[in-house]
Amino acid sequence: IVLDLLHFTGSNNGNSATRVVGSDSTSLSAQLPIAYINVDSLLLNYNYSKDLNEVLIRKRENAQATLTEKARKLDGEMKEFQRKRDNNAFLSEQSFKSQQQTLLKKQQDLQQLEESLTQQLSKEQQKMNEQLRDSIYKFLKEYNKDHKYQMILSNTMNDNIMVADNAYNITNEVVELLNSKYVKAEE
């Protein structure tokens, strides 16, 4: 079928397919105007992605440090409250209930802070993912003006493309060009 397709389409239009020797040296196959990018490799090696990831990690660490400090302080207050209760150190039942309510309120506030920080981090990560995606898409549109691929596929953990000739893999070239462009943007 491929040979028939090449016979009928290859003779009229030189741009539609190029003959290359495949991995089996006895057969010729057509290199189609498609390419793919290994997204995992791209994200691991693209400096902008690395920088965004570092920013997000620092924000997570700061949020976790804030929560840990507040939780440690609350834990100390709860232990002090427990000690007072065990020693009957409260002057009145009203004093006991008041301090108990204060601690419960602080515990609820800590939970709300944790939820709020989690939501903020999630929004920040989504925003960064969009920036990264837009950066890559914008670059690929410009890149494809010269390379004229009909299709550029993404491959994540071999999920979308089960088997492909490495000749179609443009990941390293794209990463190299993205990084060179990113360095220029930083300067």
Side-chain angles (χ1 to χ4, degrees):
I1 295 173
V2 171
L3 290 175
D4 286 339
L5 179 66
L6 289 175
H7 175 72
F8 291 113
T9 61
S11 62
N12 295 335
N13 185 354
N15 291 337
S16 65
T18 307
R19 291 190 178 267
V20 294
V21 176
S23 57
D24 181 355
S25 61
T26 60
S27 68
L28 294 177
S29 62
Q31 184 165 356
L32 302 174
I34 62 171
Y36 73 91
I37 296 172
N38 184 316
V39 176
D40 298 328
S41 294
L42 180 123
L43 295 177
L44 284 173
N45 296 304
Y46 182 21
N47 292 334
Y48 183 51
S49 175
K50 291 178 189 179
D51 291 347
L52 289 177
N53 194 41
E54 285 296 319
V55 168
L56 194 59
I57 287 171
R58 279 194 303 274
K59 287 183 178 190
R60 279 190 184 134
E61 289 171 349
N62 289 340
Q64 188 61 45
T66 299
L67 287 172
T68 301
E69 177 61 28
K70 290 185 181 283
R72 186 188 59 74
K73 185 178 177 184
L74 179 60
D75 186 55
E77 290 177 23
M78 291 178 96
K79 284 179 181 176
E80 178 63 22
F81 173 79
Q82 183 69 32
R83 187 190 63 75
K84 284 182 180 179
R85 191 184 86 191
D86 292 346
N87 294 328
N88 288 329
F90 289 103
L91 297 175
S92 68
E93 183 70 23
Q94 181 64 25
S95 174
F96 170 78
K97 287 183 178 182
S98 174
Q99 195 166 2
Q100 186 180 35
Q101 289 299 320
T102 300
L103 288 175
L104 288 174
K105 173 77 168 107
K106 286 183 178 183
Q107 190 175 25
Q108 289 173 345
D109 290 346
L110 182 61
Q111 289 172 343
Q112 287 176 346
L113 177 63
E114 181 178 17
E115 290 173 12
S116 173
L117 289 173
T118 300
Q119 287 177 347
Q120 287 175 355
L121 286 172
S122 179
K123 286 179 183 178
E124 188 71 26
Q125 183 174 10
Q126 184 178 2
K127 179 181 170 188
M128 288 179 177
N129 286 343
E130 288 172 6
Q131 290 172 338
L132 182 61
R133 185 191 67 236
D134 289 348
S135 162
I136 293 168
Y137 284 168
K138 181 179 176 186
F139 170 80
L140 287 175
K141 281 185 177 183
E142 192 65 33
Y143 173 85
N144 204 34
K145 286 180 183 177
D146 293 332
H147 293 83
K148 307 217 185 299
Y149 291 110
Q150 293 296 312
M151 187 182 313
I152 299 176
L153 304 169
S154 68
N155 193 25
T156 307
M157 296 179 64
N158 295 324
D159 194 27
N160 298 326
I161 301 172
M162 300 301 282
V163 177
D165 190 321
N166 203 36
Y168 293 104
N169 186 347
I170 60 172
T171 306
N172 292 334
E173 179 183 1
V174 168
V175 168
E176 189 176 307
L177 292 170
L178 278 167
N179 283 336
S180 68
K181 200 170 188 126
Y182 181 61
V183 170
K184 290 178 185 176
E186 286 180 336
E187 293 174 352

